[in-house]
């Protein structure tokens, strides 16, 4: 018998770390505190408020039996699972004592400058926010803001619509029949008309018309492979809901792409 030579040991490839973002594990206690604030007291999350004080908060939670969305612009929440107008379109609320946390697949609790990711079964919570000095990164690694259209139309008897209330909420209905509850006022997608006194038409930015509609915004963090120099998106966090003009330029027209 002969023994084949052992293969040389080489280090496994490790993906590069995203630039410009701080992430930290906050543990299961933070996840439990979030559930307690939202589903027992209906008040803004103290855990997120510690990292983004005074900012509006939003919730996007995926469960095995549906989705829960919500908005908390000041002190109290409006949740899809507790509102008579959206109750039938939402998953039931989670028990604040965690007894049915197994229903939770994952949740994002976010504000413009920070996000808490609650893991499956509420077994942990992770914070993400901009790192100090993120604005000093080279242009190809700077965090980039993106915005994505929430589709729906005001057409027909079961159309997208705004809901009454101090905290804005809407129901978005697509032509395919898909329905979603959005913690933002509803505005149909359209092309913005230039202001009467504008010196240039709305399409002046690279020939692409300005868009209006209902949007969710995301901040992307990039990474560069030290071996190949390849650059790509390595992490992202949600930053808000918007209605009105598109809050970021079309992909390919931002400052980083313009100088690439």
């Amino acid at each position: 018998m002969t023994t084949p030579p052992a293969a040389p040991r080489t280090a496994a490839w490790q993906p590069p770390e995203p630039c410009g973002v701080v992430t930290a594990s906050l543990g299961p206690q933070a996840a439990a505190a979030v559930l307690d604030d939202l589903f027992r007291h209906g008040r803004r999350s103290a855990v997120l408020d510690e990292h983004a004080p005074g900012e509006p908060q939003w919730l996007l939670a995926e469960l095995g039996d549906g989705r829960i969305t919500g908005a908390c612009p000041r002190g109290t929440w409006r949740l899809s699972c507790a509102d008579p107008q959206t109750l039938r379109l939402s998953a039931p609320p989670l028990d604040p004592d965690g007894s049915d946390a197994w229903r939770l697949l994952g949740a994002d609790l976010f504000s413009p400058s920070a996000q808490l990711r609650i893991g499956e079964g509420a077994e942990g919570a992770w914070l993400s926010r901009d790192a100090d000095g993120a604005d000093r990164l080279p242009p190809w690694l700077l965090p980039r803001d993106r915005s994505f259209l929430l589709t729906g139309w005001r057409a027909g008897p079961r159309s997208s619509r705004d809901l009454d209330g101090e905290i804005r909420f809407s129901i978005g209905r697509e032509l395919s029949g898909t329905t979603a509850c959005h913690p933002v006022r509803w505005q149909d997608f359209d092309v913005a008309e230039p202001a009467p006194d504008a010196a240039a038409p709305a399409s002046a930015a690279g020939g692409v018309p300005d868009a209006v509609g209902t949007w969710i915004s995301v901040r992307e963090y990039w990474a560069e492979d030290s071996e190949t120099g390849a650059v790509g998106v390595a992490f992202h966090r949600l930053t808000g809901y918007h209605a009105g003009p598109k809050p970021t330029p079309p992909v390919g027209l931002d400052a980083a792409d313009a100088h690439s």
Side-chain angles (χ1 to χ4, degrees), residues 19-22 129-138 141-143 221:
C19 298
V21 62
V22 171
R129 61 173 177 80
D130 281 359
D132 295 337
D135 57 344
R136 297 193 295 271
L137 289 166
L141 291 176
L142 282 172
Y221 298 92

Side-chain angles (χ1 to χ4, degrees), residues 21-26 48 51 108-111 113-117 126-131 221 235-238:
V21 62
V22 171
T23 60
S25 174
L26 303 182
L48 183 56
H51 302 281
D108 292 304
L109 178 67
F110 57 99
S111 69
S113 64
Q115 174 178 291
L116 295 177
R117 174 66 180 175
W126 294 265
L127 168 74
S128 58
R129 61 173 177 80
D130 281 359
Y221 298 92
F235 189 82
H236 73 271
R237 64 177 174 86
L238 303 176

Side-chain angles (χ1 to χ4, degrees), residues 8-243:
R9 291 187 177 182
T10 58
W13 180 81
Q14 294 294 327
E17 291 293 323
C19 298
V21 62
V22 171
T23 60
S25 174
L26 303 182
Q29 296 84 1
V34 168
L35 297 186
D36 191 67
D37 280 345
L38 268 67
F39 297 109
R40 187 189 306 277
H41 302 288
R43 65 191 178 197
R44 64 188 290 110
S45 167
V47 179
L48 183 56
D49 214 29
E50 181 180 344
H51 302 281
E55 294 186 354
Q57 299 180 354
W58 294 276
L59 174 69
L60 178 56
E62 298 289 346
L63 297 94
D65 51 353
R67 176 182 295 162
I68 299 174
T69 57
C72 181
R74 288 172 293 278
T76 58
W77 282 89
R78 184 176 186 179
L79 296 170
S80 61
C81 59
D83 191 294
Q85 299 183 84
T86 57
L87 192 61
R88 63 185 179 82
L89 301 173
S90 174
L94 286 163
D95 194 313
D97 67 8
S99 61
D100 64 349
W102 53 268
R103 295 172 47 218
L104 182 65
L105 303 178
D108 292 304
L109 178 67
F110 57 99
S111 69
S113 64
Q115 174 178 291
L116 295 177
R117 174 66 180 175
I118 310 298
E120 184 174 356
E123 293 182 352
W126 294 265
L127 168 74
S128 58
R129 61 173 177 80
D130 281 359
D132 295 337
D135 57 344
R136 297 193 295 271
L137 289 166
W140 59 91
L141 291 176
L142 282 172
R144 303 191 195 186
D145 291 319
R146 303 296 194 202
S147 52
F148 299 92
L149 178 68
L150 300 174
T151 56
W153 290 270
R154 295 185 188 271
R158 295 178 54 80
S159 63
S160 302
R161 61 189 178 95
D162 257 348
L163 302 178
D164 297 329
E166 181 181 354
I167 300 174
R168 302 307 294 265
F169 233 84
S170 61
I171 296 175
R173 289 193 170 98
E174 301 180 24
L175 296 180
S176 64
T178 301
T179 303
C181 306
H182 302 300
V184 65
R185 72 178 179 88
W186 186 259
Q187 181 167 348
D188 278 356
F189 174 73
D190 203 350
V191 175
E193 294 293 333
D197 56 349
S203 60
V208 179
D210 291 337
V212 296
T214 310
W215 315 90
I216 189 167
S217 56
V218 174
R219 172 156 285 200
E220 297 175 343
Y221 298 92
W222 292 62
E224 183 173 18
D225 188 282
S226 59
E227 297 293 329
T228 66
V231 175
V233 177
F235 189 82
H236 73 271
R237 64 177 174 86
L238 303 176
T239 58
Y241 283 88
H242 311 269

